């Protein structure tokens, strides 16, 4: 079964602290993985994808096939990072399969 | 260049009624997909269309149907509405970004459907 698991519903950190949002997946073969972000009152938007190995807004994510994980990390959280974060993979029908999301709250 | 546009933004319907939601993809994008996002959950795949043909379907009842028009816009129809159909319905425009980056997806702002 193709599945994305985000174990934390809510993650609360202080400004300047490191952040790690966890994502585990279940997929046969080589998955195509993404992180999407939804800021308050804004549309869902792509943050980064594993295939391009990019760093956006200081966030990075490394695919670990052995642990079937794609955790999102940032060394120093900013208040403007507060948002809902969704991990997703491309399913067999070309659709996106999302996790339930983690709400990141960065406190001043 | 306009992004993915959805209409209406909000809708209130009564149980048993039917609803039609509309989506226009980004100009030049030929693939449209629909997702349902219930409060507190991630988006769930409903349909995908490419060049007016259904290319994928999620685990939703037959009350849900969709179509894509020659201009690549799309409609999602839901019949016999239930309270549980209350959700944010998202439309996504899928495109080939080329090279190693693969496919990309751009989402609309969604239609908030409330069934009472």
């Amino acid at each position: 079964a193709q599945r994305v698991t985000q174990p934390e519903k809510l993650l609360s950190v202080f400004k300047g602290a490191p952040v790690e949002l966890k994502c585990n997946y279940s997929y046969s073969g080589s998955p195509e993985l993404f992180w999407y972000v939804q800021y308050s009152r804004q549309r869902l938007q792509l943050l980064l994808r594993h295939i391009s190995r990019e760093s956006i807004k200081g966030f990075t994510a490394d695919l670990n096939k052995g642990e079937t994980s794609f955790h999102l990390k940032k060394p120093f959280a900013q208040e403007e990072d507060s948002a809902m974060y969704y991990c997703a993979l491309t399913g067999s029908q070309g659709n996106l399969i999302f996790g339930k999301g983690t709400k990141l709250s960065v406190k001043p | 260049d306009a992004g993915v546009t959805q209409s209406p933004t909000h809708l209130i319907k009564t149980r048993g009624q039917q609803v039609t939601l509309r989506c226009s993809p980004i100009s030049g994008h030929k693939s449209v997909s629909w997702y349902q996002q219930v409060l507190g959950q991630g988006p769930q795949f409903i349909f995908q269309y490419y060049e007016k043909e259904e290319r994928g379907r999620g685990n939703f009842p037959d009350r849900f149907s969709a179509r894509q028009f020659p201009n690549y816009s799309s409609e999602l129809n839901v019949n016999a509405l239930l309270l549980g159909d209350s959700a944010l319905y998202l439309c996504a425009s899928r495109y080939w970004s080329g090279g190693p980056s693969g496919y990309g997806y751009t989402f609309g702002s969604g239609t908030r459907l409330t069934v009472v």
Side-chain angles (χ1 to χ4, degrees), chain B residues 11 34 38 45 63 79 90 97 107:
Chain B
L11 205 50
W34 288 93
V38 174
F45 173 63
R63 299 185 296 108
N79 293 322
L90 297 170
S97 55
F107 283 85

Side-chain angles (χ1 to χ4, degrees), chain A residues 9 32 34 36 38 42-46 49 51-52 86 90 93-101, chain B residues 4 35 37 40-43 45 48 55-57 94-95 97 100-105 107-109:
Chain A
K9 288 188 75 170
E32 193 175 337
F34 306 84
Y36 278 83
Q38 192 167 32
Q42 294 188 26
R43 63 184 66 190
L44 198 61
Q45 56 186 285
L46 178 67
R49 67 188 85 192
I51 200 166
S52 51
Y86 295 96
T90 302
Q93 298 184 84
N95 55 303
L96 286 171
I97 298 171
F98 288 88
K100 292 185 176 182
Chain B
V4 178
Y35 292 80
Q37 187 174 19
Q41 303 287 322
F45 173 63
Q48 179 157 280
R55 295 298 184 95
R57 173 186 285 253
R94 182 180 181 225
Y95 59 94
S97 55
S101 298
Y103 283 103
Y105 304 81
F107 283 85
S109 298

Side-chain angles (χ1 to χ4, degrees), chain A residues 25-99:
Chain A
Y25 66 89
S26 173
Y27 188 85
S28 300
S30 295
E32 193 175 337
L33 286 151
F34 306 84
W35 276 99
Y36 278 83
V37 62
Q38 192 167 32
Y39 300 102
S40 180
R41 300 182 188 279
Q42 294 188 26
R43 63 184 66 190
L44 198 61
Q45 56 186 285
L46 178 67
L47 181 62
L48 56 80
R49 67 188 85 192
H50 91 275
I51 200 166
S52 51
R53 302 185 65 80
E54 56 204 344
S55 172
I56 304 294
K57 299 184 180 183
F59 285 97
T60 59
D62 288 318
L63 176 61
N64 185 322
K65 291 187 177 180
E67 296 183 359
T68 60
S69 68
F70 188 56
H71 302 328
L72 184 68
K73 300 177 183 179
K74 185 170 183 177
F76 308 103
Q78 303 299 314
E79 288 180 69
E80 56 265 30
D81 296 329
S82 295
M84 281 295 297
Y85 290 81
Y86 295 96
C87 182
L89 61 79
T90 302
S92 56
Q93 298 184 84
N95 55 303
L96 286 171
I97 298 171
F98 288 88

